[in-house]
Amino acid sequence: IQKNIQPYPKKVKWLFWNPDKQLAQNSLETLLFSKQETKLIEQRAKLLNVPVTTLLLWALNRSASKNLLQKQQEYTWFYPVNLRGAVDYGTDYANYSSGFYLPVNGEISIGELQQRIRNKLKSGEHWFNWQQAKIAKYLPGIAIRWLYQFISKRHYYAGNFSAMGNWFSEDSVVSRPTKPANDIAKERWFCCAPGTKNYPISSCVMTWNDQLSLTLKLHSSIVKDENSIFETLRDWGENLLDGLSISLEEAKQQKRIISYSYSDQINNIKN
């Protein structure tokens, strides 16, 4: 597998880049879709003959290219692969996640993106990365830190794309031991990777009770101002809805956009 892995870009040209920039307050933003909007997105993916995850990444990549990246360049996302079933440690709580490095550009079509994902899956590169991750657990902490510091000065990617799949649905679950189903249906869940300047765009998609959510976190190194993350998140959503516009102010007022702010000292929910 290692012999057949094709080279991929390990540098990125950002519209704004300050690796030493730090923010007193960090945040991640989540855009919530209704059941009807989620269904429209799923139907669009079906019409395009691609998985929903491909459509989601294509829409995110298009938004990132517009708002965060310089034009006419190839760069790389880390794309997840779920190994549950193929790997079994005897517990549901182990880490069964791997992935591969996916080179793209800002103008890539959905069809071309899907073909690149297929080729990567066929190559088995995710198994090579899985084995590398397993080897790391045998190294002492000081070796891990040295290795990361060495790599972090040389390798830079667009970021992480995480797809957490479909969770609770009223149609399939009547009740839970600790909480009635109608209470669970009112919940909305989101999560996101922490991100670093080497993977500055952290993104996560998750469907809860047939309602899709998009969560975005930008590392301070690529954030020009506080509007950067909101504009990128809005355009990500609009790319999925294919022509339907999203007003940022209305979305915030309607709690369609949820902000989670935090610092090194304290965590708190703004909305």
Coordinates of all heavy atoms in Angstrom, one line a residue, residues 27-116:
S27 N -14.2 30.0 19.4 CA -15.6 29.5 19.2 C -15.7 28.5 18.1 O -14.9 28.4 17.2 CB -16.5 30.7 18.9 OG -16.3 31.2 17.6
L28 N -16.8 27.7 18.2 CA -17.2 26.8 17.1 C -18.6 27.1 16.9 O -19.4 27.4 17.8 CB -16.9 25.4 17.3 CG -17.4 24.7 18.6 CD1 -18.8 24.1 18.3 CD2 -16.5 23.5 19.0
E29 N -19.0 27.0 15.6 CA -20.4 27.4 15.2 C -21.1 26.2 14.6 O -20.5 25.5 13.8 CB -20.4 28.6 14.2 CG -19.5 29.7 14.7 CD -20.0 30.4 15.9 OE1 -21.2 30.4 16.2 OE2 -19.1 31.0 16.6
T30 N -22.4 26.0 14.9 CA -23.2 24.9 14.3 C -24.4 25.5 13.6 O -25.1 26.3 14.2 CB -23.6 24.0 15.5 OG1 -22.5 23.4 16.1 CG2 -24.4 22.8 14.9
L31 N -24.6 25.0 12.4 CA -25.7 25.4 11.6 C -26.7 24.2 11.6 O -26.3 23.1 11.2 CB -25.3 25.7 10.2 CG -26.5 26.0 9.2 CD1 -27.3 27.2 9.6 CD2 -25.9 26.2 7.8
L32 N -27.9 24.4 12.0 CA -28.9 23.3 12.2 C -29.9 23.4 11.0 O -30.4 24.4 10.6 CB -29.7 23.5 13.5 CG -28.9 23.6 14.7 CD1 -29.7 23.9 15.9 CD2 -28.1 22.3 15.0
F33 N -30.2 22.2 10.4 CA -31.2 22.1 9.4 C -32.4 21.4 9.9 O -32.4 20.6 10.8 CB -30.6 21.3 8.2 CG -29.5 22.0 7.4 CD1 -28.2 21.6 7.6 CD2 -29.9 22.9 6.5 CE1 -27.2 22.3 6.9 CE2 -28.9 23.5 5.7 CZ -27.5 23.2 5.9
S34 N -33.6 21.8 9.3 CA -34.8 21.1 9.7 C -34.9 19.7 9.0 O -34.1 19.4 8.2 CB -36.0 22.0 9.2 OG -36.0 22.0 7.8
K35 N -35.9 19.0 9.4 CA -36.1 17.6 8.8 C -36.3 17.8 7.3 O -35.9 17.0 6.5 CB -37.3 16.9 9.4 CG -37.0 16.4 10.8 CD -38.1 15.6 11.4 CE -37.8 15.0 12.7 NZ -38.9 14.2 13.3
Q36 N -37.1 18.8 6.9 CA -37.4 19.0 5.5 C -36.2 19.4 4.7 O -36.0 18.9 3.6 CB -38.5 20.1 5.3 CG -38.9 20.4 3.9 CD -39.9 21.5 3.8 OE1 -40.3 22.1 4.7 NE2 -40.5 21.6 2.6
E37 N -35.4 20.3 5.2 CA -34.1 20.7 4.6 C -33.2 19.5 4.5 O -32.5 19.3 3.4 CB -33.5 21.8 5.3 CG -34.2 23.1 5.2 CD -33.7 24.2 6.1 OE1 -33.2 23.8 7.2 OE2 -33.8 25.4 5.8
T38 N -33.1 18.7 5.5 CA -32.2 17.5 5.5 C -32.7 16.5 4.4 O -31.8 16.0 3.7 CB -32.3 16.8 6.9 OG1 -31.8 17.7 7.9 CG2 -31.4 15.6 6.9
K39 N -34.0 16.4 4.3 CA -34.5 15.5 3.3 C -34.1 16.0 1.9 O -33.8 15.2 1.0 CB -36.0 15.3 3.4 CG -36.6 14.2 2.6 CD -38.0 14.0 2.9 CE -38.6 12.8 2.1 NZ -40.0 12.5 2.4
L40 N -34.2 17.3 1.7 CA -33.9 17.9 0.4 C -32.4 17.7 0.0 O -32.1 17.4 -1.1 CB -34.2 19.4 0.4 CG -35.7 19.8 0.4 CD1 -35.8 21.3 0.6 CD2 -36.3 19.4 -0.9
I41 N -31.6 17.8 1.0 CA -30.1 17.5 0.8 C -29.9 16.1 0.5 O -29.1 15.8 -0.4 CB -29.3 17.9 2.1 CG1 -29.4 19.5 2.3 CG2 -27.9 17.5 2.0 CD1 -28.9 20.0 3.6
E42 N -30.5 15.2 1.2 CA -30.4 13.7 0.9 C -30.9 13.4 -0.5 O -30.3 12.6 -1.3 CB -31.1 12.9 1.9 CG -30.5 13.0 3.3 CD -31.4 12.4 4.4 OE1 -32.6 12.1 4.1 OE2 -30.9 12.1 5.5
Q43 N -32.0 14.0 -0.9 CA -32.6 13.8 -2.3 C -31.6 14.3 -3.3 O -31.5 13.7 -4.4 CB -33.9 14.5 -2.4 CG -35.0 13.8 -1.6 CD -36.3 14.5 -1.6 OE1 -36.4 15.7 -1.9 NE2 -37.4 13.8 -1.2
R44 N -31.0 15.5 -3.1 CA -30.1 16.0 -4.0 C -28.9 15.1 -4.2 O -28.4 14.9 -5.4 CB -29.6 17.4 -3.6 CG -28.7 18.1 -4.6 CD -28.2 19.4 -4.1 NE -27.3 20.0 -5.1 CZ -26.4 20.9 -4.8 NH1 -26.3 21.4 -3.5 NH2 -25.6 21.4 -5.7
A45 N -28.3 14.6 -3.1 CA -27.2 13.6 -3.2 C -27.6 12.4 -4.1 O -26.9 11.9 -4.9 CB -26.8 13.2 -1.9
K46 N -28.9 11.9 -3.8 CA -29.4 10.8 -4.6 C -29.4 11.1 -6.1 O -29.1 10.2 -6.9 CB -30.7 10.4 -4.0 CG -31.2 9.0 -4.6 CD -32.5 8.6 -3.9 CE -33.0 7.3 -4.5 NZ -34.3 6.8 -3.8
L47 N -29.9 12.3 -6.4 CA -30.0 12.7 -7.8 C -28.7 12.8 -8.5 O -28.5 12.5 -9.7 CB -30.8 14.0 -7.9 CG -32.3 14.0 -7.7 CD1 -32.9 15.4 -7.7 CD2 -33.0 13.1 -8.8
L48 N -27.7 13.2 -7.7 CA -26.3 13.3 -8.2 C -25.6 12.0 -8.2 O -24.4 11.9 -8.7 CB -25.5 14.4 -7.3 CG -26.0 15.8 -7.5 CD1 -25.4 16.7 -6.4 CD2 -25.7 16.4 -8.8
N49 N -26.2 11.0 -7.6 CA -25.6 9.6 -7.5 C -24.3 9.6 -6.8 O -23.3 9.0 -7.1 CB -25.4 9.1 -9.0 CG -25.2 7.6 -9.0 OD1 -25.7 6.9 -8.1 ND2 -24.4 7.1 -9.9
V50 N -24.3 10.3 -5.6 CA -23.2 10.3 -4.7 C -23.7 10.2 -3.3 O -24.8 10.5 -3.0 CB -22.4 11.6 -4.8 CG1 -21.8 11.8 -6.2 CG2 -23.2 12.8 -4.4
P51 N -22.8 9.7 -2.4 CA -23.2 9.6 -1.0 C -23.4 11.0 -0.4 O -22.8 12.0 -0.9 CB -22.0 8.9 -0.3 CG -21.3 8.2 -1.4 CD -21.5 9.0 -2.6
V52 N -24.2 11.2 0.6 CA -24.4 12.5 1.2 C -23.1 13.1 1.7 O -22.9 14.3 1.6 CB -25.4 12.4 2.4 CG1 -25.5 13.7 3.1 CG2 -26.8 11.9 1.9
T53 N -22.2 12.2 2.2 CA -20.9 12.7 2.7 C -20.1 13.4 1.6 O -19.4 14.4 1.9 CB -20.1 11.6 3.4 OG1 -20.1 10.4 2.5 CG2 -20.7 11.1 4.7
T54 N -20.2 12.9 0.4 CA -19.4 13.5 -0.7 C -20.0 14.9 -1.0 O -19.3 15.8 -1.2 CB -19.5 12.6 -1.9 OG1 -18.9 11.4 -1.7 CG2 -18.8 13.3 -3.1
L55 N -21.3 15.0 -1.0 CA -22.0 16.3 -1.2 C -21.6 17.3 -0.1 O -21.3 18.4 -0.4 CB -23.5 16.1 -1.3 CG -24.3 17.4 -1.4 CD1 -23.9 18.2 -2.7 CD2 -25.8 17.1 -1.4
L56 N -21.6 16.8 1.1 CA -21.2 17.6 2.3 C -19.8 18.2 2.2 O -19.5 19.3 2.4 CB -21.4 16.9 3.6 CG -22.9 16.5 4.0 CD1 -22.9 15.5 5.1 CD2 -23.6 17.8 4.4
L57 N -18.9 17.3 1.8 CA -17.5 17.7 1.7 C -17.3 18.7 0.5 O -16.6 19.7 0.6 CB -16.5 16.5 1.6 CG -15.1 16.9 1.3 CD1 -14.5 17.7 2.5 CD2 -14.2 15.6 1.2
W58 N -18.0 18.4 -0.6 CA -17.9 19.2 -1.8 C -18.4 20.6 -1.4 O -17.7 21.6 -1.8 CB -18.7 18.7 -2.9 CG -18.8 19.6 -4.1 CD1 -17.9 19.7 -5.1 CD2 -19.9 20.5 -4.3 NE1 -18.4 20.7 -6.0 CE2 -19.6 21.2 -5.6 CE3 -21.1 20.9 -3.7 CZ2 -20.4 22.2 -6.1 CZ3 -21.9 21.8 -4.2 CH2 -21.5 22.5 -5.4
A59 N -19.5 20.7 -0.7 CA -20.0 22.0 -0.3 C -19.1 22.8 0.6 O -18.9 24.0 0.5 CB -21.4 21.8 0.3
L60 N -18.5 22.1 1.6 CA -17.6 22.7 2.5 C -16.3 23.2 1.8 O -15.8 24.3 2.0 CB -17.2 21.7 3.6 CG -16.0 22.1 4.5 CD1 -16.3 23.3 5.3 CD2 -15.6 20.9 5.4
N61 N -15.8 22.3 0.9 CA -14.6 22.7 0.1 C -14.8 23.9 -0.7 O -14.0 24.8 -0.8 CB -14.2 21.5 -0.7 CG -12.9 21.8 -1.6 OD1 -11.9 22.0 -1.0 ND2 -13.1 21.9 -2.9
R62 N -16.0 24.0 -1.3 CA -16.4 25.2 -2.2 C -16.4 26.4 -1.3 O -15.9 27.5 -1.8 CB -17.7 24.9 -2.9 CG -18.0 25.8 -4.0 CD -19.2 25.4 -4.8 NE -19.5 26.2 -5.9 CZ -19.0 26.0 -7.1 NH1 -18.2 25.1 -7.3 NH2 -19.4 26.8 -8.1
S63 N -17.0 26.3 -0.1 CA -17.1 27.5 0.7 C -15.7 27.9 1.3 O -15.4 29.1 1.3 CB -18.0 27.2 1.9 OG -18.0 28.2 2.8
A64 N -14.9 26.9 1.7 CA -13.5 27.2 2.1 C -12.7 27.9 1.1 O -11.9 28.8 1.3 CB -12.9 25.9 2.6
S65 N -12.8 27.4 -0.2 CA -12.1 27.9 -1.3 C -12.5 29.4 -1.5 O -11.6 30.2 -1.8 CB -12.4 27.1 -2.6 OG -11.8 27.7 -3.7
K66 N -13.7 29.7 -1.3 CA -14.2 31.1 -1.6 C -13.8 32.0 -0.4 O -13.4 33.2 -0.7 CB -15.7 31.1 -1.7 CG -16.4 32.5 -1.7 CD -17.9 32.4 -1.7 CE -18.5 33.8 -1.6 NZ -20.0 33.7 -1.5
N67 N -13.8 31.6 0.8 CA -13.7 32.5 2.0 C -12.3 32.4 2.6 O -11.9 33.4 3.3 CB -14.8 32.1 3.0 CG -16.2 32.4 2.5 OD1 -16.5 33.6 2.4 ND2 -16.9 31.4 2.3
L68 N -11.6 31.3 2.5 CA -10.4 31.1 3.3 C -9.1 30.9 2.5 O -8.0 31.1 3.0 CB -10.6 30.0 4.2 CG -11.8 30.1 5.2 CD1 -12.0 28.7 5.9 CD2 -11.6 31.2 6.2
L69 N -9.2 30.4 1.2 CA -8.1 29.9 0.5 C -7.8 30.7 -0.7 O -8.7 31.3 -1.3 CB -8.3 28.4 0.0 CG -8.4 27.4 1.1 CD1 -9.2 26.2 0.7 CD2 -7.0 26.9 1.5
Q70 N -6.5 30.8 -1.1 CA -6.1 31.5 -2.3 C -6.5 30.6 -3.5 O -6.6 29.3 -3.4 CB -4.6 31.7 -2.3 CG -4.1 32.7 -1.3 CD -2.6 33.0 -1.4 OE1 -2.1 32.9 -2.5 NE2 -2.0 33.3 -0.3
K71 N -6.7 31.2 -4.6 CA -7.2 30.5 -5.8 C -6.1 29.7 -6.5 O -4.9 29.9 -6.2 CB -7.9 31.5 -6.8 CG -9.0 32.3 -6.2 CD -10.1 31.5 -5.7 CE -11.2 32.4 -5.1 NZ -12.3 31.6 -4.5
Q72 N -6.5 28.8 -7.4 CA -5.6 28.0 -8.3 C -4.5 27.3 -7.5 O -3.3 27.6 -7.7 CB -5.1 29.0 -9.3 CG -6.1 29.6 -10.2 CD -5.6 30.5 -11.3 OE1 -4.4 31.0 -11.2 NE2 -6.3 30.8 -12.3
Q73 N -4.9 26.4 -6.7 CA -4.0 25.6 -6.0 C -4.6 24.3 -5.6 O -5.8 24.1 -5.5 CB -3.5 26.3 -4.7 CG -4.6 26.5 -3.7 CD -4.1 26.9 -2.3 OE1 -3.1 26.4 -1.8 NE2 -4.7 27.9 -1.7
E74 N -3.8 23.3 -5.4 CA -4.2 22.0 -4.9 C -3.8 21.9 -3.5 O -2.7 22.3 -3.1 CB -3.5 20.8 -5.7 CG -4.1 20.6 -7.1 CD -5.1 19.4 -7.2 OE1 -5.0 18.5 -6.4 OE2 -6.0 19.5 -8.0
Y75 N -4.7 21.4 -2.7 CA -4.4 21.2 -1.2 C -5.1 19.9 -0.8 O -5.7 19.2 -1.6 CB -5.0 22.4 -0.5 CG -6.4 22.8 -0.9 CD1 -7.5 22.3 -0.3 CD2 -6.6 23.8 -1.9 CE1 -8.8 22.7 -0.7 CE2 -7.8 24.1 -2.3 CZ -8.9 23.6 -1.7 OH -10.2 23.9 -2.1
T76 N -5.0 19.6 0.5 CA -5.4 18.3 1.0 C -6.3 18.3 2.2 O -6.0 19.1 3.1 CB -4.2 17.4 1.3 OG1 -3.3 17.4 0.2 CG2 -4.5 16.0 1.7
W77 N -7.4 17.5 2.2 CA -8.2 17.3 3.3 C -7.9 15.9 3.9 O -7.5 15.0 3.2 CB -9.7 17.3 3.0 CG -10.3 18.6 2.6 CD1 -10.4 19.1 1.3 CD2 -10.8 19.6 3.5 NE1 -11.0 20.4 1.3 CE2 -11.3 20.7 2.6 CE3 -11.0 19.7 4.8 CZ2 -11.8 21.8 3.2 CZ3 -11.6 20.8 5.4 CH2 -12.0 21.9 4.5
F78 N -8.1 15.8 5.2 CA -8.1 14.4 5.8 C -9.5 13.9 5.8 O -10.4 14.5 6.5 CB -7.4 14.4 7.2 CG -7.2 13.0 7.7 CD1 -6.1 12.3 7.2 CD2 -8.0 12.4 8.7 CE1 -5.9 11.0 7.7 CE2 -7.8 11.2 9.1 CZ -6.7 10.4 8.6
Y79 N -9.7 12.8 5.1 CA -11.1 12.2 5.0 C -11.2 11.0 5.8 O -10.4 10.1 5.8 CB -11.3 11.9 3.5 CG -12.7 11.5 3.2 CD1 -13.6 12.4 2.8 CD2 -13.1 10.1 3.2 CE1 -14.9 12.1 2.4 CE2 -14.4 9.8 2.9 CZ -15.3 10.8 2.5 OH -16.6 10.4 2.2
P80 N -12.3 10.8 6.6 CA -12.4 9.7 7.6 C -12.9 8.4 6.9 O -13.6 8.4 5.9 CB -13.5 10.3 8.5 CG -14.4 11.1 7.7 CD -13.4 11.8 6.7
V81 N -12.5 7.3 7.5 CA -13.0 6.0 7.1 C -13.3 5.2 8.4 O -12.5 5.1 9.3 CB -11.9 5.2 6.3 CG1 -12.4 3.8 6.0 CG2 -11.5 5.9 5.0
N82 N -14.5 4.8 8.5 CA -15.0 4.0 9.6 C -14.6 2.5 9.4 O -15.0 1.9 8.5 CB -16.5 4.2 9.8 CG -17.1 3.4 11.0 OD1 -16.3 2.9 11.8 ND2 -18.4 3.4 11.1
L83 N -13.9 2.0 10.4 CA -13.4 0.6 10.3 C -14.2 -0.4 11.2 O -13.8 -1.5 11.4 CB -11.9 0.5 10.7 CG -11.0 1.3 9.8 CD1 -9.5 1.1 10.3 CD2 -11.1 1.0 8.4
R84 N -15.3 0.1 11.7 CA -16.2 -0.8 12.5 C -16.7 -1.9 11.7 O -17.2 -1.8 10.6 CB -17.4 0.0 13.1 CG -17.0 0.9 14.2 CD -18.2 1.7 14.8 NE -17.7 2.7 15.8 CZ -17.6 2.4 17.1 NH1 -17.8 1.2 17.5 NH2 -17.1 3.3 17.9
G85 N -16.6 -3.1 12.2 CA -16.9 -4.3 11.5 C -15.7 -5.0 10.9 O -15.5 -6.2 11.1
A86 N -14.9 -4.2 10.2 CA -13.6 -4.7 9.7 C -12.6 -4.9 10.8 O -11.7 -5.8 10.7 CB -13.0 -3.8 8.6
V87 N -12.7 -4.1 11.9 CA -11.9 -4.2 13.1 C -12.8 -4.4 14.3 O -13.8 -3.7 14.4 CB -11.0 -3.0 13.2 CG1 -10.2 -3.1 14.5 CG2 -10.0 -2.9 12.0
D88 N -12.4 -5.3 15.2 CA -13.2 -5.5 16.4 C -12.3 -5.7 17.6 O -11.6 -6.7 17.7 CB -14.2 -6.7 16.2 CG -15.2 -6.8 17.3 OD1 -15.1 -6.0 18.3 OD2 -16.0 -7.8 17.3
Y89 N -12.4 -4.8 18.5 CA -11.6 -4.9 19.8 C -12.5 -5.5 20.9 O -12.1 -5.4 22.1 CB -11.1 -3.6 20.2 CG -9.9 -3.1 19.4 CD1 -9.8 -1.8 18.9 CD2 -8.8 -4.0 19.1 CE1 -8.7 -1.5 18.1 CE2 -7.7 -3.6 18.3 CZ -7.7 -2.4 17.9 OH -6.6 -2.0 17.1
G90 N -13.7 -5.9 20.6 CA -14.6 -6.5 21.6 C -15.3 -5.5 22.4 O -16.0 -5.8 23.4
T91 N -15.3 -4.2 22.0 CA -16.0 -3.2 22.7 C -16.5 -2.1 21.7 O -15.8 -1.8 20.8 CB -15.2 -2.5 23.9 OG1 -15.9 -1.4 24.4 CG2 -13.9 -2.1 23.3
D92 N -17.7 -1.5 22.0 CA -18.1 -0.5 21.1 C -17.4 0.9 21.3 O -17.6 1.8 20.6 CB -19.6 -0.2 21.3 CG -20.5 -1.4 20.8 OD1 -20.0 -2.1 19.9 OD2 -21.6 -1.6 21.3
Y93 N -16.7 0.9 22.4 CA -16.1 2.2 22.8 C -14.6 2.4 22.4 O -14.0 3.4 22.8 CB -16.2 2.4 24.4 CG -17.7 2.3 24.8 CD1 -18.2 1.2 25.3 CD2 -18.5 3.4 24.6 CE1 -19.5 1.1 25.7 CE2 -19.8 3.4 25.0 CZ -20.3 2.2 25.6 OH -21.6 2.1 25.9
A94 N -14.1 1.5 21.6 CA -12.7 1.7 21.1 C -12.8 2.6 19.9 O -13.8 2.9 19.4 CB -12.2 0.3 20.7
N95 N -11.6 3.1 19.5 CA -11.5 4.0 18.4 C -11.3 3.1 17.1 O -10.3 2.5 16.9 CB -10.3 4.9 18.6 CG -10.1 5.9 17.4 OD1 -11.0 6.0 16.5 ND2 -9.1 6.7 17.4
Y96 N -12.3 3.2 16.2 CA -12.3 2.5 15.0 C -12.1 3.4 13.8 O -12.6 3.0 12.7 CB -13.5 1.6 14.8 CG -13.7 0.5 15.9 CD1 -14.6 0.7 17.0 CD2 -12.9 -0.6 15.9 CE1 -14.7 -0.2 18.0 CE2 -13.1 -1.6 16.8 CZ -14.0 -1.4 17.9 OH -14.1 -2.4 18.9
S97 N -11.6 4.5 14.0 CA -11.5 5.5 12.9 C -10.1 5.6 12.3 O -9.1 5.6 13.0 CB -11.9 6.9 13.5 OG -13.2 7.0 14.0
S98 N -10.1 5.6 11.0 CA -8.9 5.9 10.2 C -9.3 6.9 9.1 O -10.3 7.6 9.2 CB -8.4 4.6 9.6 OG -7.1 4.8 9.0
G99 N -8.5 7.0 8.1 CA -8.7 7.9 7.0 C -7.6 8.0 6.0 O -6.6 7.3 6.1
F100 N -7.7 8.9 5.1 CA -6.7 9.1 4.1 C -6.6 10.6 3.7 O -7.5 11.4 4.0 CB -6.9 8.3 2.8 CG -8.3 8.4 2.3 CD1 -8.7 9.5 1.5 CD2 -9.2 7.4 2.5 CE1 -10.0 9.6 1.0 CE2 -10.5 7.5 1.9 CZ -10.9 8.6 1.2
Y101 N -5.5 11.0 3.1 CA -5.3 12.4 2.6 C -5.8 12.5 1.2 O -5.4 11.8 0.3 CB -3.8 12.7 2.8 CG -3.4 12.8 4.2 CD1 -2.8 11.7 4.8 CD2 -3.5 14.0 4.9 CE1 -2.4 11.8 6.1 CE2 -3.2 14.1 6.2 CZ -2.6 13.0 6.9 OH -2.2 13.0 8.2
L102 N -6.8 13.4 1.1 CA -7.5 13.6 -0.2 C -7.2 14.9 -0.8 O -7.6 16.0 -0.4 CB -9.0 13.5 0.1 CG -9.9 13.7 -1.1 CD1 -9.8 12.4 -2.0 CD2 -11.4 13.8 -0.7
P103 N -6.4 14.9 -1.9 CA -6.0 16.2 -2.6 C -7.2 16.7 -3.5 O -7.9 15.9 -4.2 CB -4.9 15.8 -3.5 CG -5.0 14.4 -3.8 CD -5.7 13.8 -2.6
V104 N -7.5 18.0 -3.4 CA -8.5 18.6 -4.2 C -8.1 20.0 -4.6 O -7.0 20.5 -4.3 CB -9.8 18.8 -3.3 CG1 -10.3 17.4 -2.9 CG2 -9.6 19.7 -2.1
N105 N -9.0 20.7 -5.3 CA -8.9 22.1 -5.6 C -10.2 22.8 -5.4 O -11.2 22.1 -5.2 CB -8.3 22.4 -7.0 CG -9.2 21.7 -8.1 OD1 -10.3 22.1 -8.2 ND2 -8.7 20.7 -8.7
G106 N -10.2 24.1 -5.5 CA -11.5 24.8 -5.2 C -12.6 24.7 -6.2 O -13.7 24.9 -6.0
E107 N -12.2 24.2 -7.5 CA -13.2 24.1 -8.5 C -13.6 22.7 -8.8 O -14.3 22.4 -9.8 CB -12.6 24.7 -9.8 CG -12.2 26.2 -9.7 CD -13.4 27.1 -9.3 OE1 -14.5 26.8 -9.8 OE2 -13.2 28.0 -8.4
I108 N -13.2 21.7 -8.0 CA -13.4 20.3 -8.3 C -15.0 20.1 -8.3 O -15.7 20.6 -7.5 CB -12.8 19.4 -7.2 CG1 -12.8 18.0 -7.6 CG2 -13.4 19.6 -5.8 CD1 -11.9 17.1 -6.8
S109 N -15.4 19.3 -9.3 CA -16.8 18.9 -9.4 C -17.2 17.8 -8.4 O -16.3 17.1 -7.9 CB -17.1 18.5 -10.8 OG -16.5 17.2 -11.1
I110 N -18.5 17.6 -8.2 CA -18.9 16.6 -7.3 C -18.5 15.2 -7.8 O -18.0 14.3 -7.1 CB -20.4 16.6 -7.0 CG1 -20.8 17.9 -6.4 CG2 -20.9 15.5 -6.2 CD1 -22.3 18.1 -6.1
G111 N -18.6 15.0 -9.1 CA -18.3 13.8 -9.7 C -16.8 13.4 -9.6 O -16.4 12.3 -9.3
E112 N -16.0 14.4 -9.8 CA -14.5 14.2 -9.7 C -14.1 13.9 -8.3 O -13.3 13.1 -8.0 CB -13.8 15.4 -10.3 CG -12.3 15.4 -10.1 CD -11.6 14.2 -10.8 OE1 -12.2 13.7 -11.7 OE2 -10.5 13.8 -10.4
L113 N -14.8 14.6 -7.4 CA -14.5 14.4 -5.9 C -14.8 13.0 -5.5 O -14.1 12.3 -4.9 CB -15.3 15.4 -5.1 CG -15.1 15.3 -3.6 CD1 -13.6 15.5 -3.2 CD2 -16.0 16.2 -2.8
Q114 N -16.0 12.5 -6.0 CA -16.4 11.2 -5.6 C -15.5 10.1 -6.2 O -15.1 9.1 -5.6 CB -17.8 10.9 -6.2 CG -18.4 9.5 -6.0 CD -18.4 9.1 -4.5 OE1 -18.3 9.9 -3.6 NE2 -18.6 7.8 -4.3
Q115 N -15.0 10.4 -7.5 CA -14.0 9.5 -8.1 C -12.7 9.4 -7.3 O -12.1 8.3 -7.1 CB -13.8 9.9 -9.5 CG -13.0 8.8 -10.3 CD -13.6 7.5 -10.4 OE1 -14.8 7.4 -10.7 NE2 -12.9 6.4 -10.0
R116 N -12.3 10.6 -6.8 CA -11.0 10.6 -6.1 C -11.2 9.8 -4.7 O -10.3 9.1 -4.3 CB -10.6 12.0 -5.8 CG -10.1 12.8 -7.0 CD -9.4 14.1 -6.7 NE -9.1 14.8 -7.9 CZ -8.4 15.9 -7.9 NH1 -7.8 16.4 -6.8 NH2 -8.1 16.6 -9.0

